[in-house]
Coordinates of all heavy atoms in Angstrom, one line a residue:
G1 N -20.1 15.6 5.9 CA -19.7 14.4 6.3 C -18.3 13.9 5.8 O -17.9 12.9 6.1
G2 N -17.7 14.8 4.9 CA -16.4 14.3 4.4 C -15.2 14.8 5.1 O -15.5 15.5 6.3
F3 N -14.0 14.8 4.6 CA -12.8 15.3 5.3 C -12.0 16.0 4.3 O -12.0 15.9 3.2 CB -12.0 14.0 5.7 CG -12.6 13.1 6.8 CD1 -13.3 12.1 6.6 CD2 -12.4 13.4 8.0 CE1 -13.9 11.4 7.4 CE2 -13.0 12.7 9.1 CZ -13.7 11.7 8.8
V4 N -11.3 16.9 4.9 CA -10.2 17.7 4.2 C -8.9 17.3 4.9 O -8.7 17.2 6.1 CB -10.4 19.2 4.4 CG1 -9.3 20.0 3.8 CG2 -11.7 19.6 3.9
Q5 N -7.9 16.9 4.1 CA -6.6 16.5 4.5 C -5.6 17.3 3.8 O -5.6 17.5 2.6 CB -6.4 15.1 4.1 CG -7.2 14.2 4.8 CD -6.9 12.6 4.6 OE1 -7.2 11.9 5.5 NE2 -6.5 12.3 3.4
L6 N -4.7 18.1 4.7 CA -3.7 19.0 4.2 C -2.2 18.6 4.7 O -2.3 18.1 5.8 CB -4.1 20.3 4.7 CG -5.5 20.8 4.3 CD1 -5.8 22.0 5.3 CD2 -5.5 21.2 2.9
A7 N -1.4 19.0 4.1 CA 0.1 18.8 4.6 C 0.8 20.1 4.1 O 0.7 20.6 3.1 CB 0.7 17.6 4.0
T8 N 2.0 20.4 5.0 CA 2.7 21.5 4.8 C 4.0 21.2 5.6 O 4.0 20.7 6.6 CB 2.2 23.0 4.9 OG1 3.1 23.9 4.5 CG2 1.9 23.1 6.3
D9 N 5.2 21.8 5.0 CA 6.3 21.8 5.8 C 6.7 23.2 6.2 O 7.8 23.5 6.8 CB 7.5 21.1 5.0 CG 7.8 22.1 3.7 OD1 7.0 22.8 3.2 OD2 9.0 22.0 3.3
H10 N 5.7 24.2 6.0 CA 5.9 25.5 6.4 C 5.2 25.7 7.6 O 3.9 25.8 7.6 CB 5.5 26.5 5.3 CG 5.8 27.9 5.4 ND1 5.0 28.7 6.3 CD2 6.9 28.6 5.0 CE1 5.6 29.8 6.3 NE2 6.7 29.9 5.5
E11 N 5.8 25.9 8.8 CA 5.0 26.0 10.0 C 4.0 27.3 10.1 O 2.9 27.0 10.6 CB 6.2 26.4 11.1 CG 5.5 26.4 12.6 CD 6.5 26.6 13.6 OE1 7.7 26.4 13.5 OE2 6.1 27.0 14.7
G12 N 4.4 28.4 9.5 CA 3.6 29.5 9.5 C 2.3 29.2 8.7 O 1.2 29.6 9.0
Y13 N 2.5 28.7 7.5 CA 1.4 28.2 6.7 C 0.4 27.2 7.4 O -0.7 27.2 7.4 CB 1.7 27.7 5.4 CG 0.6 27.5 4.4 CD1 -0.4 28.4 4.2 CD2 0.6 26.3 3.6 CE1 -1.3 28.3 3.3 CE2 -0.4 26.1 2.8 CZ -1.4 27.0 2.5 OH -2.4 26.8 1.7
G14 N 1.1 26.2 8.0 CA 0.2 25.2 8.8 C -0.6 25.8 9.9 O -1.7 25.5 10.0
Q15 N 0.0 26.8 10.6 CA -0.7 27.4 11.6 C -1.9 28.2 11.0 O -3.0 28.2 11.5 CB 0.2 28.3 12.4 CG -0.5 29.0 13.5 CD 0.4 29.9 14.4 OE1 1.8 29.9 14.2 NE2 0.0 30.7 15.2
W16 N -1.6 28.9 10.0 CA -2.6 29.8 9.2 C -3.8 28.9 8.8 O -4.9 29.2 9.0 CB -2.1 30.4 8.0 CG -2.9 31.3 7.3 CD1 -3.1 32.7 7.5 CD2 -3.9 31.0 6.1 NE1 -4.1 33.2 6.8 CE2 -4.6 32.2 5.9 CE3 -4.0 29.9 5.5 CZ2 -5.4 32.2 4.8 CZ3 -4.9 29.8 4.5 CH2 -5.7 31.0 4.2
M17 N -3.5 27.6 8.2 CA -4.6 26.8 7.7 C -5.3 26.4 8.9 O -6.6 26.3 8.7 CB -3.9 25.5 7.0 CG -3.2 25.9 5.7 SD -2.8 24.4 4.7 CE -1.5 23.6 5.8
L18 N -4.8 25.9 9.8 CA -5.5 25.3 11.0 C -6.4 26.5 11.7 O -7.6 26.2 11.9 CB -4.5 24.8 12.1 CG -5.2 24.1 13.3 CD1 -6.1 22.9 12.8 CD2 -4.1 23.5 14.3
E19 N -5.8 27.5 11.9 CA -6.6 28.8 12.5 C -7.9 29.1 11.6 O -8.9 29.3 12.1 CB -5.8 30.0 12.5 CG -4.7 29.9 13.7 CD -3.8 31.1 13.7 OE1 -4.0 32.1 12.9 OE2 -2.9 31.1 14.6
H20 N -7.7 29.0 10.2 CA -8.8 29.4 9.3 C -9.9 28.2 9.4 O -11.0 28.6 9.3 CB -8.4 29.8 8.1 CG -7.8 31.1 7.9 ND1 -6.4 31.5 8.4 CD2 -8.3 32.3 7.5 CE1 -6.3 32.8 8.3 NE2 -7.4 33.2 7.7
F21 N -9.5 27.1 9.3 CA -10.4 25.9 9.3 C -11.2 26.0 10.7 O -12.4 25.8 10.8 CB -9.7 24.6 9.0 CG -9.7 24.4 7.6 CD1 -8.5 24.5 6.8 CD2 -10.9 23.8 6.9 CE1 -8.5 24.2 5.5 CE2 -10.9 23.6 5.6 CZ -9.7 23.8 4.9
L22 N -10.4 26.1 11.7 CA -11.1 26.1 13.1 C -12.0 27.3 13.3 O -12.9 27.2 14.2 CB -10.0 26.0 14.1 CG -9.1 24.7 14.3 CD1 -8.2 24.7 15.3 CD2 -10.2 23.5 14.4
A23 N -11.8 28.4 12.6 CA -12.7 29.6 12.8 C -14.0 29.3 12.0 O -15.0 30.0 12.4 CB -12.1 30.8 12.1
D24 N -14.1 28.3 11.2 CA -15.4 27.9 10.6 C -16.0 26.8 11.3 O -15.6 25.7 11.5 CB -15.0 27.4 9.1 CG -16.2 27.1 8.3 OD1 -17.3 26.6 8.8 OD2 -16.1 27.3 7.2
P25 N -17.2 27.1 11.9 CA -17.9 26.1 12.6 C -18.3 24.7 11.9 O -18.7 23.8 12.5 CB -19.2 26.7 13.2 CG -19.4 28.0 12.2 CD -18.0 28.2 11.7
G26 N -18.0 24.7 10.5 CA -18.4 23.6 9.8 C -17.2 22.6 9.8 O -17.4 21.5 9.1
F27 N -16.1 22.7 10.4 CA -15.0 21.9 10.3 C -14.5 21.5 11.8 O -14.7 22.4 12.7 CB -13.8 22.5 9.6 CG -14.0 22.6 8.2 CD1 -14.5 23.7 7.6 CD2 -13.8 21.4 7.3 CE1 -14.7 23.8 6.2 CE2 -14.1 21.5 6.0 CZ -14.4 22.8 5.5
L28 N -14.1 20.4 12.0 CA -13.7 19.8 13.3 C -12.2 19.2 13.1 O -12.2 18.3 12.1 CB -14.6 18.8 13.8 CG -14.1 18.1 15.2 CD1 -14.2 19.2 16.3 CD2 -15.2 17.1 15.5
W29 N -11.3 19.7 13.8 CA -9.9 19.1 13.8 C -10.0 17.7 14.4 O -10.4 17.5 15.5 CB -8.9 19.9 14.3 CG -7.5 19.5 14.0 CD1 -7.0 18.6 13.2 CD2 -6.3 19.8 15.0 NE1 -5.7 18.6 13.2 CE2 -5.2 19.3 14.3 CE3 -6.2 20.6 16.1 CZ2 -4.0 19.4 14.8 CZ3 -4.8 20.8 16.6 CH2 -3.8 20.2 15.9
T30 N -9.6 16.7 13.8 CA -9.8 15.3 14.3 C -8.6 14.8 15.1 O -8.6 13.7 15.7 CB -10.0 14.2 13.1 OG1 -8.8 14.3 12.3 CG2 -11.2 14.6 12.3
A31 N -7.5 15.5 15.3 CA -6.4 15.2 16.1 C -6.7 14.9 17.4 O -7.4 15.7 18.2 CB -5.3 16.1 15.9
K32 N -6.3 13.8 18.0 CA -6.3 13.4 19.4 C -5.1 13.5 20.1 O -5.1 13.7 21.3 CB -7.1 12.1 19.5 CG -8.4 11.9 18.8 CD -9.5 12.1 19.7 CE -10.8 11.8 19.1 NZ -11.4 12.8 18.5
E33 N -4.1 13.3 19.5 CA -2.7 13.1 20.0 C -1.7 13.6 19.0 O -2.0 13.8 17.8 CB -2.4 11.7 20.6 CG -2.6 10.7 19.6 CD -2.3 9.3 20.2 OE1 -3.3 9.1 21.2 OE2 -1.6 8.6 19.7
R34 N -0.4 13.9 19.5 CA 0.7 14.5 18.7 C 0.9 13.7 17.4 O 1.1 14.3 16.4 CB 1.9 14.6 19.5 CG 3.0 15.3 18.9 CD 4.3 15.4 19.8 NE 5.2 16.2 19.2 CZ 5.5 17.4 19.5 NH1 4.8 18.1 20.4 NH2 6.4 18.1 18.9
R35 N 0.9 12.4 17.4 CA 1.2 11.7 16.3 C 0.2 11.9 15.1 O 0.5 11.6 14.0 CB 1.4 10.2 16.5 CG 0.1 9.6 17.0 CD 0.4 8.1 17.3 NE -0.9 7.6 17.6 CZ -1.3 6.4 17.4 NH1 -0.6 5.4 16.7 NH2 -2.4 5.8 17.7
D36 N -1.0 12.4 15.5 CA -2.1 12.6 14.4 C -1.7 13.7 13.5 O -2.2 13.7 12.3 CB -3.4 12.9 15.1 CG -4.1 11.7 15.9 OD1 -3.7 10.6 15.6 OD2 -4.7 12.0 16.8
W37 N -0.8 14.7 13.9 CA -0.3 15.7 13.0 C 1.1 15.4 12.5 O 1.6 16.2 11.7 CB -0.7 17.0 13.5 CG 0.1 17.5 14.8 CD1 1.4 17.8 14.7 CD2 -0.4 17.5 16.1 NE1 1.7 18.2 16.1 CE2 0.7 17.9 17.0 CE3 -1.6 17.2 16.7 CZ2 0.5 18.1 18.2 CZ3 -1.7 17.3 18.1 CH2 -0.6 17.7 18.7
E38 N 1.8 14.5 13.2 CA 3.1 14.2 12.8 C 3.2 13.1 11.8 O 4.4 13.0 11.2 CB 4.0 13.9 14.1 CG 4.3 15.2 15.1 CD 5.1 14.8 16.1 OE1 5.1 13.7 16.6 OE2 5.7 15.8 16.6
Q39 N 2.3 12.3 11.7 CA 2.3 11.2 10.8 C 1.2 11.3 9.8 O 0.1 11.7 10.1 CB 2.2 9.9 11.5 CG 3.4 9.6 12.5 CD 3.1 8.3 13.2 OE1 2.1 7.6 13.2 NE2 4.2 8.0 14.2
P40 N 1.4 10.9 8.5 CA 0.3 11.0 7.5 C -0.8 10.1 7.9 O -0.6 9.0 8.5 CB 1.1 10.5 6.3 CG 2.2 9.8 6.7 CD 2.6 10.3 8.0
P41 N -2.0 10.4 7.6 CA -3.3 9.6 7.7 C -3.1 8.2 6.9 O -2.4 8.2 5.9 CB -4.4 10.5 7.4 CG -3.8 11.6 6.6 CD -2.4 11.6 6.9
E42 N -3.8 7.3 7.4 CA -3.8 6.1 6.7 C -4.3 6.3 5.2 O -5.2 7.0 4.8 CB -4.8 5.1 7.3 CG -4.9 3.7 6.7 CD -5.7 2.9 7.5 OE1 -5.9 2.9 8.7 OE2 -6.3 1.9 6.9
G43 N -3.6 5.6 4.2 CA -3.9 5.7 2.8 C -3.3 7.1 2.2 O -3.5 7.3 1.1
W44 N -2.6 7.9 2.9 CA -2.0 9.1 2.4 C -0.9 8.7 1.2 O -0.1 7.9 1.3 CB -1.2 9.8 3.5 CG -0.6 11.2 3.1 CD1 0.7 11.3 2.6 CD2 -1.3 12.3 3.0 NE1 0.9 12.6 2.4 CE2 -0.3 13.3 2.6 CE3 -2.6 12.8 3.4 CZ2 -0.6 14.6 2.5 CZ3 -2.9 14.1 3.2 CH2 -1.9 15.1 2.8
V45 N -1.1 9.4 0.1 CA -0.2 9.2 -1.0 C 0.7 10.5 -1.0 O 0.3 11.5 -1.3 CB -1.0 8.9 -2.4 CG1 -0.1 9.0 -3.4 CG2 -2.0 7.9 -2.2
P46 N 2.0 10.3 -0.8 CA 2.9 11.5 -0.7 C 3.2 11.9 -2.2 O 3.3 11.2 -3.1 CB 4.1 10.8 -0.1 CG 4.2 9.3 -0.4 CD 2.6 9.0 -0.4
T47 N 3.5 13.2 -2.3 CA 3.9 13.7 -3.5 C 5.4 13.6 -3.6 O 6.0 13.5 -2.7 CB 3.5 15.2 -3.6 OG1 4.1 16.0 -2.6 CG2 1.9 15.4 -3.4
R48 N 5.9 13.9 -4.8 CA 7.4 13.9 -5.0 C 8.1 15.0 -4.1 O 9.0 14.9 -3.5 CB 7.8 14.2 -6.5 CG 7.5 13.0 -7.3 CD 7.9 13.3 -8.7 NE 7.4 14.6 -9.1 CZ 7.4 15.2 -10.4 NH1 8.0 14.5 -11.3 NH2 7.0 16.3 -10.6
Y49 N 7.3 16.2 -4.0 CA 7.8 17.2 -3.2 C 7.9 16.8 -1.7 O 8.9 17.1 -1.0 CB 7.0 18.5 -3.3 CG 7.5 19.7 -2.6 CD1 8.5 20.5 -3.0 CD2 6.9 20.0 -1.3 CE1 9.0 21.5 -2.3 CE2 7.4 21.0 -0.5 CZ 8.5 21.8 -0.9 OH 8.9 22.8 -0.2
E50 N 6.9 16.3 -1.3 CA 6.8 15.7 0.1 C 7.9 14.8 0.3 O 8.6 14.9 1.5 CB 5.4 15.1 0.5 CG 5.4 14.4 1.8 CD 4.0 14.0 2.1 OE1 3.1 13.8 1.2 OE2 3.8 13.4 3.1
I51 N 8.1 13.9 -0.4 CA 9.3 12.9 -0.3 C 10.6 13.7 -0.1 O 11.4 13.4 0.7 CB 9.3 11.9 -1.4 CG1 8.1 11.0 -1.4 CG2 10.5 11.0 -1.4 CD1 7.8 10.1 -2.6
K52 N 10.7 14.7 -0.9 CA 12.0 15.5 -0.9 C 12.0 16.2 0.4 O 13.1 16.5 1.1 CB 12.1 16.5 -2.1 CG 13.3 17.3 -2.1 CD 13.2 18.3 -3.4 CE 14.4 19.2 -3.4 NZ 14.4 20.2 -4.5
C53 N 10.9 16.9 0.9 CA 10.7 17.5 2.0 C 11.2 16.7 3.2 O 11.7 17.2 4.3 CB 9.3 18.0 2.3 SG 8.8 18.6 3.8
L54 N 10.9 15.4 3.3 CA 11.1 14.5 4.5 C 12.5 14.5 4.7 O 12.9 14.1 5.8 CB 10.5 13.2 4.2 CG 9.1 13.0 4.1 CD1 8.6 11.6 3.6 CD2 8.4 13.5 5.3
E55 N 13.4 15.0 3.9 CA 14.8 14.9 4.0 C 15.2 16.1 4.9 O 16.3 16.3 5.4 CB 15.6 15.0 2.7 CG 15.5 13.8 1.8 CD 16.0 14.0 0.5 OE1 16.7 15.0 0.3 OE2 15.7 13.1 -0.4
G56 N 14.3 17.1 5.0 CA 14.5 18.3 5.9 C 13.5 18.4 7.0 O 13.4 17.7 7.9
T57 N 12.7 19.5 6.8 CA 11.7 19.7 7.8 C 10.6 18.7 7.8 O 10.0 18.7 6.6 CB 11.1 21.2 7.6 OG1 12.3 22.1 7.5 CG2 10.1 21.7 8.6
P58 N 10.2 18.2 8.8 CA 9.0 17.1 8.8 C 7.7 18.0 8.5 O 7.5 19.1 9.0 CB 9.1 16.5 10.1 CG 9.8 17.6 11.1 CD 10.7 18.3 10.1
P59 N 6.8 17.4 7.7 CA 5.5 18.0 7.4 C 4.7 17.9 8.6 O 4.7 17.2 9.4 CB 4.9 17.2 6.2 CG 6.0 16.2 6.0 CD 7.0 16.1 7.0
L60 N 3.6 18.8 8.5 CA 2.5 18.9 9.5 C 1.3 18.3 8.7 O 1.1 18.8 7.5 CB 2.2 20.4 9.9 CG 0.9 20.6 10.6 CD1 1.0 20.0 12.0 CD2 0.7 22.1 10.7
Y61 N 0.6 17.3 9.2 CA -0.5 16.7 8.5 C -1.8 17.1 9.4 O -1.9 16.9 10.6 CB -0.4 15.2 8.5 CG 0.7 14.7 7.7 CD1 2.0 14.4 8.4 CD2 0.8 14.5 6.4 CE1 3.1 14.0 7.6 CE2 1.8 14.1 5.6 CZ 2.9 13.7 6.3 OH 4.1 13.3 5.7
L62 N -2.7 17.6 8.6 CA -4.0 18.1 9.1 C -5.1 17.3 8.5 O -5.3 17.3 7.3 CB -4.3 19.6 9.1 CG -3.2 20.5 9.5 CD1 -3.4 22.0 9.2 CD2 -3.1 20.4 11.1
R63 N -6.0 16.8 9.4 CA -7.3 16.1 8.9 C -8.4 16.8 9.4 O -8.4 16.8 10.8 CB -7.1 14.7 9.1 CG -8.4 13.9 8.7 CD -8.1 12.5 9.0 NE -9.3 11.6 8.9 CZ -9.8 11.0 7.9 NH1 -9.0 11.0 6.7 NH2 -11.0 10.3 7.9
L64 N -9.3 17.4 8.8 CA -10.5 18.0 9.4 C -11.7 17.4 9.0 O -11.9 17.1 7.7 CB -10.4 19.5 9.1 CG -9.2 20.2 9.6 CD1 -8.3 20.8 8.5 CD2 -9.5 21.3 10.5
A65 N -12.7 17.2 9.8 CA -14.0 16.6 9.4 C -14.9 17.8 9.0 O -15.0 18.8 9.7 CB -14.6 15.8 10.5
R66 N -15.7 17.6 7.9 CA -16.8 18.5 7.7 C -18.1 18.1 8.6 O -18.4 16.9 8.5 CB -17.1 18.5 6.2 CG -18.1 19.3 5.8 CD -17.6 20.7 5.7 NE -18.5 21.5 4.8 CZ -18.9 22.7 5.3 NH1 -18.5 23.3 6.4 NH2 -19.7 23.5 4.6
V67 N -18.5 19.0 9.3 CA -19.7 18.6 10.3 C -20.9 19.4 9.8 O -20.9 20.2 9.0 CB -19.4 18.9 11.7 CG1 -18.3 18.0 12.2 CG2 -19.0 20.3 12.0

């Protein structure tokens, strides 16, 4: 019943993470629309690296529910 929240600015790694989580029937991607992966989830605490990254490639935010 918990959640996994991930972020990356590397497109290939983001795709890899999503593919592997979706291959597991125990996880469900919660995104309903584009902004769900383009904006951080509510209560997200950015890292120093993420703040630096925001000056370049925008991060991909993934939130997956454990079912």
Side-chain angles (χ1 to χ4, degrees):
F3 292 93
V4 174
Q5 297 184 143
L6 307 162
T8 183
D9 65 334
H10 189 279
E11 184 179 340
Y13 185 49
Q15 182 177 351
W16 184 91
M17 290 189 299
L18 187 56
E19 287 174 4
H20 282 77
F21 271 101
L22 293 180
D24 185 325
F27 289 96
L28 175 67
W29 189 23
T30 62
K32 303 267 189 269
E33 54 191 52
R34 186 178 187 101
R35 71 180 177 144
D36 292 336
W37 65 81
E38 290 184 336
Q39 297 177 0
E42 185 176 328
W44 183 266
V45 179
T47 65
R48 289 182 309 188
Y49 182 80
E50 180 182 356
I51 292 168
K52 183 178 178 181
C53 163
L54 291 173
E55 298 170 3
T57 305
L60 167 70
Y61 298 95
L62 300 175
R63 180 177 165 97
L64 300 114
R66 181 79 166 131
V67 292

